């Protein structure tokens, strides 16, 4: 169920920063645009570019939860917020490694809900287990509601056939996939002979039509920058497998 | 430049409220995946971890607030957190995390290694 966690947006990988919107449930890693980018990274291999202790949850969210927990008039020191932010990452790693260990012992590869709950009881957080089961139930109901009729696949957004007519119109965003997650993708085509939908990066600026002016040799560059105006290549059949390497 | 990610924000918020989450799941998953030997994570597990994290933040905040002198001053400080981590067994795993900033009485050393889940106190 866990898909590829590679992200296409550099700003999504910011470490800390103000993130005030509610958590989004998305397939690709996505966070609010207001986040700061503290570390350099590539689009792929995100995990390898961060040290474990550098990945934190957004401090605004953490601070908000703390604020709601203490009495209304209470104050929270800034270093206390930062401290809890770090502790939270520690907590997640703590639970995950225990759950992962159990998973391996049972020769399974995917950590499931039971592993997490078991890890919590083992590590002294058994008081969380019952409330969590209730939350999980509500969550499942909410997910079912989004999908519509349970059991019916939510649609395979990336598998849609596109015709030439779709060329000028990007597909709508927010496609819900079969596992209930919402995929925010813009699907572009770069060939008018045969179409291959693909997830685009936010800096792909060309939209239909313009593609026809891109020469086949420079197709990759044109995918990233404002289209060139070389109409001399207009009528040439474009090779089908000219996707940028990193897609 | 069109950013399609921004358009369904309102939908996300209303559906997220139904799911009762106020932390970004994607970030939680990132942290989970940074643990060694984690290959894939079930959706339920991801949700449970996110929700548990929220409970943990509340738990830690309230325990620290009530535990330390901060209750009198109606504020929560770093030292309240550090003291709570030392005094409450549930939060002992944090002592390594908090320890580097906390002044220690002479003769006490604590450390923890989160991935190996071992900690010890030397007196």
């Amino acid at each position: 169920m866990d898909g590829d966690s590679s992200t296409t947006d550099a700003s999504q990988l910011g470490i800390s920063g103000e993130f005030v919107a509610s958590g989004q449930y998305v397939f690709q890693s996505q966070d609010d645009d207001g986040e700061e980018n503290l570390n350099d990274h590539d689009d792929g291999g995100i995990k390898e570019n961060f040290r474990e202790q550098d990945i934190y949850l957004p401090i605004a969210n953490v601070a908000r939860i703390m604020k709601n927990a203490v009495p209304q008039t209470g104050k929270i020191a800034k270093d206390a917020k930062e401290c809890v932010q770090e502790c939270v990452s520690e907590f997640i790693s703590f639970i995950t490694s225990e759950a992962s260990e159990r998973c391996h012992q049972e020769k399974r590869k995917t950590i499931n809900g039971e592993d997490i709950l078991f890890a919590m009881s083992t590590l002294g957080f058994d008081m969380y287990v019952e409330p969590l089961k209730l939350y999980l139930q509500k969550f499942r109901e909410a997910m079912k509601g989004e999908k519509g009729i349970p059991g019916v696949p939510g649609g395979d957004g990336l598998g849609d056939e596109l015709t030439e007519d779709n060329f000028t119109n990007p597909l709508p965003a927010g496609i819900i996939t079969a596992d209930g997650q919402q995929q925010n993708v813009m699907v572009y085509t770069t060939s008018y002979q045969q179409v291959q939908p693909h997830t685009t990066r936010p800096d792909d600026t060309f939209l239909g039509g313009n593609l026809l002016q891109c020469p086949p040799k420079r197709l990759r560059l044109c995918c990233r920058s404002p289209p060139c105006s070389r109409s001399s290549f207009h009528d040439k059949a474009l090779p089908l497998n000219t996707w940028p390497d990193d897609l | 430049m069109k950013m399609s990610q921004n358009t369904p924000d309102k939908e996300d918020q209303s559906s997220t409220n139904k799911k009762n989450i106020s932390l970004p799941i994607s970030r939680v998953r990132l942290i989970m995946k940074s643990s060694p030997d984690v290959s894939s994570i079930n959706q339920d597990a991801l949700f449970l971890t996110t929700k548990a994290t929220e409970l943990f933040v509340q738990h830690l905040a309230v325990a620290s607030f009530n535990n330390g002198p901060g209750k009198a001053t109606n504020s929560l400080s770093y030292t309240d957190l550090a003291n709570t981590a030392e005094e409450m067994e549930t939060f002992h795993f944090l002592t390594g995390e908090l320890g580097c900033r906390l002044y220690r009485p002479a003769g006490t050393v604590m450390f923890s290694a989160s991935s190996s889940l071992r900690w010890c106190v030397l007196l």
Side-chain angles (χ1 to χ4, degrees):
Chain A
M1 228 184 199
D2 186 45
D4 184 15
S5 63
S6 64
T7 182
T8 57
D9 183 4
S11 71
Q12 299 163 6
L13 299 175
I15 300 304
S16 64
E18 300 306 305
F19 176 78
V20 184
S22 315
Q24 299 178 30
Y25 202 79
V26 294
F27 178 67
Q28 293 178 344
S29 296
Q30 286 189 1
D31 291 312
D32 191 272
D33 285 350
E35 283 199 337
E36 291 172 1
N37 219 349
L38 294 188
N39 282 1
D40 290 332
H41 47 72
D42 302 320
D43 277 352
I46 304 157
K47 190 161 63 166
E48 290 77 40
N49 290 330
F50 297 121
R51 294 177 302 156
E52 182 183 319
Q53 58 265 38
D54 285 345
I55 310 178
Y56 304 133
L57 292 178
I59 196 167
N61 298 55
V62 172
R64 192 178 359 138
I65 299 176
M66 290 175 75
K67 218 170 172 190
N68 291 336
V70 299
Q72 193 103 26
T73 51
K75 285 173 244 161
I76 305 174
K78 184 161 188 250
D79 58 357
K81 293 181 195 172
E82 289 168 356
C83 171
V84 171
Q85 193 188 18
E86 293 167 18
C87 291
V88 152
S89 294
E90 186 76 14
F91 171 77
I92 294 174
S93 302
F94 194 45
I95 298 287
T96 306
S97 50
E98 181 69 22
S100 168
E101 206 175 298
R102 179 162 189 249
C103 226
H104 279 129
Q105 278 172 8
E106 300 190 353
K107 305 275 198 296
R108 280 181 287 116
K109 287 197 178 156
T110 307
I111 300 178
N112 61 25
E114 280 303 313
D115 295 326
I116 298 290
L117 292 175
F118 185 80
M120 281 193 227
S121 327
T122 308
L123 297 172
F125 295 102
D126 45 340
M127 70 291 263
Y128 296 176
V129 172
E130 285 309 318
L132 283 176
K133 285 185 184 168
L134 288 172
Y135 277 123
L136 183 62
Q137 213 175 353
K138 284 190 190 166
F139 168 73
R140 281 180 176 157
E141 282 164 21
M143 291 300 291
K144 239 195 258 182
E146 271 179 17
K147 269 201 272 189
I149 305 165
V152 173
D156 188 22
L158 292 182
D160 287 337
E161 283 290 318
L162 297 178
T163 65
E164 283 182 40
D165 294 335
N166 292 96
F167 220 65
T168 51
N169 300 316
L171 284 188
I175 298 167
I176 300 181
T177 63
D179 59 358
Q181 286 171 309
Q182 190 158 5
Q183 278 198 18
N184 294 312
V185 298
M186 287 289 268
V187 179
Y188 295 98
T189 59
T190 59
S191 162
Y192 61 97
Q193 293 264 319
Q194 185 176 331
V195 294
Q196 293 177 30
H198 71 289
T199 309
T200 192
R201 292 159 302 161
D203 54 354
D204 283 347
T205 54
F206 69 95
L207 283 175
N210 292 325
L211 174 65
L212 298 176
Q213 293 160 2
C214 295
K217 231 195 320 187
R218 292 192 56 205
L219 185 61
R220 292 175 189 186
L221 293 180
C222 286
C223 284
R224 294 180 207 149
S225 56
C228 61
S229 54
R230 296 191 188 185
S231 54
S232 57
F233 293 90
H234 187 284
D235 295 321
K236 282 206 175 155
L238 298 174
L240 300 175
N241 51 348
T242 53
W243 303 109
D245 286 335
D246 56 350
L247 276 185
Chain B
M1 187 191 311
K2 270 197 185 177
M3 297 282 285
S4 63
Q5 294 93 328
N6 288 333
T7 46
D9 259 356
K10 284 191 179 163
E11 283 173 40
D12 279 347
Q13 284 187 9
S14 61
S15 63
T16 311
N17 287 338
K18 269 193 256 168
K19 296 175 202 157
N20 289 315
I21 305 172
S22 54
L23 292 170
I25 290 195
S26 50
R27 187 66 67 79
V28 173
R29 189 219 252 153
L30 203 60
I31 300 173
M32 289 177 86
K33 287 207 127 186
S34 71
S35 278
D37 299 329
V38 170
S39 47
S40 55
I41 305 165
N42 179 303
Q43 210 72 305
D44 286 349
L46 194 53
F47 170 76
L48 285 172
T49 306
T50 306
K51 204 64 205 160
T53 307
E54 290 181 24
L55 296 179
F56 174 76
V57 172
Q58 291 171 351
H59 188 185
L60 181 58
V62 169
S64 303
F65 190 84
N66 292 332
N67 195 27
K71 196 174 187 184
T73 60
N74 209 27
S75 67
L76 181 63
S77 69
Y78 171 81
T79 34
D80 294 332
L81 291 165
N83 289 335
T84 303
E86 287 191 31
E87 289 166 26
M88 290 179 66
E89 203 174 322
T90 313
F91 298 121
H92 269 165
F93 74 97
L94 293 170
T95 48
E97 189 67 32
L98 297 167
C100 47
R101 294 203 235 166
L102 178 65
Y103 166 74
R104 296 222 143 66
T108 310
V109 174
M110 293 183 180
F111 71 88
S112 73
S114 60
S115 52
S116 59
L117 303 180
R118 284 189 287 274
W119 57 273
C120 72
V121 175
L122 309 173
L123 290 170

